Amino acid sequence: MIKKTPLYEIHRVFRARLVDFSGFEMPQQYTSIKDEHIAVRKSAGLFDVSHMGEILISGNTALEVVQQLTVNDASVLKPGKVQYSMMCKEDGGIVDDLLVYCLSGKEYMLVVNASNIKKDLAWIMKVNNGRAEVSDISDETVLIALQGPKAVKILNEVSDEAVVEIPPFEFRSMTIAGYDNILVSATGYTGENGYELYCNIRHVNVTDLWETIMLIGDKFDLKPCGIAARDTLRLEAGLLLYGNDLSEDVTPLEAGVEWLVKWDKGDFIGKESLLELKKNGIRYKLFGLVMSEGKRIPRKGYPVKDNNGNLIGEVTSGGLSIVLDRGIAMAYLLCENARLGDTVLVVIRNSEYAARIVRLPFYKKDK
C-alpha cells in the first residue's frame, strides 16, 4: 500500500502533481520543474523529503556499531556534527549511502534512502547483533528541506536564533516558528546552501510549520518544490543517487568517492575487499558527460561507446541541465577507454551523439 507523508494534504492544497516515489505518494512538481529548479538556484525552494528513513543507534556500543557499519570514520564526530558515509557489504558493494548524525557520544542517527529503509534496518540489526539499541523512527519524523541562497534569510525570520552560524555539515536543536527542539541541519541535496529540518510529528504541527515558512518566504521568492526538481538539482551538482549511480554491484572506489573510505580507522565491513580492489585497480569508474549537441538528452541505461564504436559503459543518471541548457549525464565507463576531456558517443534512439568526459560536478554555486 502506498504511503503518505504527514504533509500530504498540504501538497494537495498547493495543487502538486502527485506520483508514487519509493512507495510514497510524493509531489513530483507544483508548477514546472524548470521554475522550481531556478528558484532553488536563484532564491529558495521548500521540499518535503519525509520519505527518507531515520534510524537511531544508541548505547555504550553505539559508536562501535556505526564504525563497523560505515566506511567513513565516525569517531571524529562530536555532538552537533554530521558526516556523509556509506555502508558496504563484505565484497565492497554499497548497501546504501547515508548521513551519520552524532546526537551524543552514545547516540547516532543514520539518515538513509527511502527505498532502502527495510533493507538497511535488517542489515543494521544483523551487524549490530544485539550490542546497541536500534530504533526506526522514520514514521514519526518529518523532514523538510529549505534550499537556496536565500534559505538563511528565510529561516532567520522564523527563528529567534542565528541560523547563519551553523557551518556546513553541522546541526543544532532550535526553535522554529514557535516549535521547540527542531533539529536544523546545514545539509542538503541540491548543490546550494540550505537547511534540513527534522521534526517529530508528536511535538510539531508540521502543516503549520510548512505554511509559516512559505508565508515568510514569499517576499524572498520561495517556491514549493517537488522530487523532479530535486533530481535535476542533484544531477547538476554531481550528487549520487542510490538505485542509479550507486548499488550493491558497485563500490565507493568505482563511484569516485574513495575519499569517504578511511582506511586507517580500524576494521569495517568490506575493508578487505576494497583494499584488494584498490591494489588490483578498478575496471569501471563513474564519469560526468556533457553533450556536445544542444538539447540531446541522455537517459539512464543509454549505451556509451568510444570513437571506434566499442561499447565502454552506460548512463546511470541523465537529463537536461537547466543552468547549462545542455544534456548531462553520469556514466560508468571502462577506465582504459575513458579519460577526462575525451569525446565519447552516447546512443540515443539508435543514433550516436558526441559527449565530452568532464569532472564532476557540472555546476558549482557562487561563493
Side-chain angles (χ1 to χ4, degrees):
M1 182 179 177
I2 191 167
K3 300 177 72 173
K4 296 177 173 63
T5 78
L7 287 165
Y8 174 77
E9 292 301 330
I10 274 286
H11 305 318
R12 293 187 63 188
V13 170
F14 277 75
R15 299 181 181 275
R17 179 182 177 188
L18 298 165
V19 296
D20 183 351
F21 182 78
S22 297
F24 288 80
E25 194 163 1
M26 297 291 291
Q28 182 183 58
Q29 63 196 77
Y30 297 85
T31 52
S32 76
I33 298 170
K34 182 177 181 179
D35 285 349
E36 293 169 22
H37 184 110
I38 292 172
V40 175
R41 292 280 181 250
K42 300 296 185 183
S43 53
L46 194 64
F47 300 81
D48 176 13
V49 284
S50 305
H51 61 305
M52 299 293 285
E54 293 84 18
I55 298 170
L56 292 179
I57 300 180
S58 311
N60 293 329
T61 57
L63 177 59
E64 173 188 312
V65 173
V66 173
Q67 286 287 74
Q68 188 180 0
L69 279 167
T70 62
V71 301
N72 209 331
D73 187 2
S75 72
V76 303
L77 291 175
K78 304 297 182 187
K81 301 277 190 178
V82 191
Q83 186 179 77
Y84 180 52
S85 193
M86 291 180 176
M87 296 188 293
C88 290
K89 301 186 300 180
E90 287 84 354
D91 65 1
I94 300 167
V95 176
D96 205 359
D97 64 328
L98 67 156
L99 291 175
V100 178
Y101 284 74
C102 180
L103 304 180
S104 74
K106 296 183 179 181
E107 187 168 42
Y108 296 82
M109 180 173 71
L110 310 186
V111 181
V112 303
N113 286 292
S115 59
N116 289 339
I117 295 173
K118 287 185 179 180
K119 180 188 78 168
D120 287 359
L121 184 60
W123 177 253
I124 291 166
M125 295 296 284
K126 178 182 177 182
V127 173
N128 179 53
N129 195 27
R131 288 176 291 168
E133 182 180 342
V134 177
S135 306
D136 179 6
I137 60 168
S138 306
D139 288 344
E140 63 191 63
T141 305
V142 166
L143 178 53
I144 296 172
L146 177 62
Q147 299 284 298
K150 296 182 181 178
V152 64
K153 294 180 179 179
I154 296 168
L155 214 51
N156 273 326
E157 291 219 5
V158 293
S159 172
D160 296 332
E161 303 163 71
V163 181
V164 72
E165 295 177 4
I166 306 178
F169 282 84
E170 294 192 15
F171 69 92
R172 66 173 64 149
S173 179
M174 300 183 68
T175 300
I176 304 293
Y179 295 103
D180 297 333
N181 300 318
I182 291 180
L183 191 156
V184 179
S185 171
T187 50
Y189 195 54
T190 63
E192 297 294 338
N193 291 332
Y195 305 93
E196 294 181 305
L197 282 62
Y198 294 83
C199 319
N200 188 301
I201 57 174
R202 294 196 299 267
H203 305 138
V204 177
N205 181 332
V206 292
T207 297
D208 179 59
L209 176 64
W210 176 283
E211 290 178 332
T212 301
I213 295 173
M214 285 301 306
L215 184 64
I216 294 295
D218 187 58
K219 64 183 177 183
F220 297 103
D221 299 317
L222 174 65
K223 292 186 182 298
C225 299
I227 55 173
R230 179 174 157 90
D231 191 54
T232 58
L233 289 158
R234 71 91 194 166
L235 177 59
E236 277 188 348
L239 300 173
L240 309 180
L241 176 63
Y242 198 92
N244 285 41
D245 319 300
L246 304 174
S247 73
E248 294 186 4
D249 296 323
V250 299
T251 69
L253 277 61
E254 293 156 328
V257 288
E258 185 183 337
W259 58 271
L260 281 179
V261 183
K262 301 303 186 283
W263 303 106
D264 59 353
K265 76 164 191 172
D267 242 358
F268 59 88
I269 296 173
K271 182 177 182 178
E272 289 185 12
S273 296
L274 292 173
L275 281 171
E276 189 70 18
L277 186 62
K278 182 176 174 64
K279 176 184 176 182
N280 295 330
I282 56 176
R283 290 192 67 218
Y284 286 87
K285 186 176 180 180
L286 193 69
F287 289 92
L289 302 178
V290 175
M291 301 302 297
S292 301
E293 194 176 320
K295 299 287 182 68
R296 301 296 179 183
I297 311 299
R299 301 291 184 189
K300 179 181 178 181
Y302 284 7
V304 181
K305 298 180 179 181
D306 65 15
N307 284 319
N308 296 317
N310 300 309
L311 183 67
I312 61 170
E314 72 173 39
V315 171
T316 54
S317 288
L320 176 68
S321 166
I322 292 169
V323 168
L324 301 178
D325 195 31
R326 190 167 292 273
I328 58 173
M330 290 190 273
Y332 280 97
L333 305 178
L334 279 168
C335 295
E336 63 187 43
N337 296 79
R339 299 288 185 275
L340 289 174
D342 284 357
T343 297
V344 294
L345 301 171
V346 180
V347 181
I348 303 175
R349 300 187 188 90
N350 299 319
S351 296
E352 298 173 354
Y353 298 96
R356 185 166 52 90
I357 300 177
V358 301
R359 191 183 307 277
L360 296 171
F362 303 101
Y363 162 87
K364 287 185 179 179
K365 67 179 182 292
D366 295 331
K367 292 183 179 179

